[in-house]
Amino acid sequence: ESVLTQSPGTLSLSPGERATLSCRASQSVSSSFLAWYQQKPGQAPRLLIYGASSRATGIPDRFSGSGSGTDFTLTISRLEPEDFAVYYCQQYGSSPRTFGQGTKVEIK
Amino acid sequence: QVQLQESGPGLVKPSGTLSLTCAVSGGSISSSNWWSWVRQPPGKRLEWIGEIYNSGSTNYNPSLRSRVTISVDKSKNQFSLKLSSVTAADTAVYYCARVLGLLGPFDYWGQGTLVTVSS
C-alpha cells in the first residue's frame, strides 16, 4: 500500500499570499496518478487537480499541481478567502487507492 | 450534472451490518465509470472502501475485504454498500463517489452520511 504523507499539517497564511503544500508517497506513483482535493467543514471533498498537474473542470488557474515519482506539490498562487480549507492528496495508480492525512490552510 | 445521494440508517449496533445506498441522478450507472465508497472517521484521513463497475466487477480495500460487499442495481441507477461485524472503529462519514473514467480520481461525490456504531 502506498502511504501518502502531507506537509505541513497546518499552514497559517493571509489572503493574497502564496500557499505551497507537499505530498510525499512511500512508493512511486505510477503515471503520475496523483490528485488533490479541497474539503470544507461539513462538505464532501472537491476535485482540484488530477494527473498531478491537470486542473479539474471549473477550477481557477490560481491552483496548480506539479511533481512526479514520489514528490508532489499543490500551489495556490494568491489565496482567496474561499480557499481556506483542508487539502488532501490521493494516489490512484495502485490499489488500494490511498489519501494523505491532509493539510489545513488557515487564516493567519 | 451528475449527482449522488447516500441513504441509510445513521445508527448501527456493534456486531451488526451497516447498509447504505447511493442513488445516481443526472447520469447513468452503466456509463464507463467505476463507482466507489469512501469513508472518513472523525478527525482522520479519508479511506477508500471499494468500488464496483456496472458489470458487477468489484475491487475492495484489503483492510476491509472480509467484511465488505458492494453491489449495483442498474434498474434503479444505484449501488450499495454492506459492511458486516461493525465496531465503533467503523463510525465515520460515508461518501459515495464516481471514478473519472476507468482509472481516475473521484470527480463527483455525494454529500456524505454519518454512520455511528453504538448500542
Side-chain angles (χ1 to χ4, degrees), chain B residues 15-42:
Chain B
S15 77
T17 297
L18 179 160
S19 297
L20 296 174
T21 296
C22 181
V24 179
S25 59
S28 173
I29 204 160
S30 296
S31 60
S32 299
N33 301 92
W34 287 80
W35 303 88
S36 274
W37 288 97
V38 178
R39 71 180 182 178
Q40 186 171 34

Side-chain angles (χ1 to χ4, degrees), chain B residues 17-117:
Chain B
T17 297
L18 179 160
S19 297
L20 296 174
T21 296
C22 181
V24 179
S25 59
S28 173
I29 204 160
S30 296
S31 60
S32 299
N33 301 92
W34 287 80
W35 303 88
S36 274
W37 288 97
V38 178
R39 71 180 182 178
Q40 186 171 34
K44 294 190 176 181
R45 72 177 72 193
L46 296 150
E47 179 181 32
W48 175 72
I49 299 170
E51 62 189 1
I52 190 164
Y53 197 68
N54 59 62
S55 63
S57 295
T58 54
N59 295 308
Y60 297 133
N61 191 322
S63 67
L64 297 167
R65 181 176 289 140
S66 63
R67 300 193 291 128
V68 174
T69 302
I70 298 176
S71 59
V72 65
D73 187 336
K74 289 187 282 187
S75 68
K76 294 183 178 179
N77 216 37
Q78 65 185 34
F79 62 109
S80 299
L81 168 70
K82 290 189 185 300
L83 181 66
S84 63
S85 304
V86 298
T87 68
D90 295 308
T91 293
V93 175
Y94 285 76
Y95 296 98
C96 56
R98 190 185 83 162
V99 175
L100 177 62
L102 296 179
L103 179 60
F106 304 115
D107 60 349
Y108 288 101
W109 295 69
Q111 65 186 27
T113 186
L114 174 63
V115 179
T116 301
V117 178

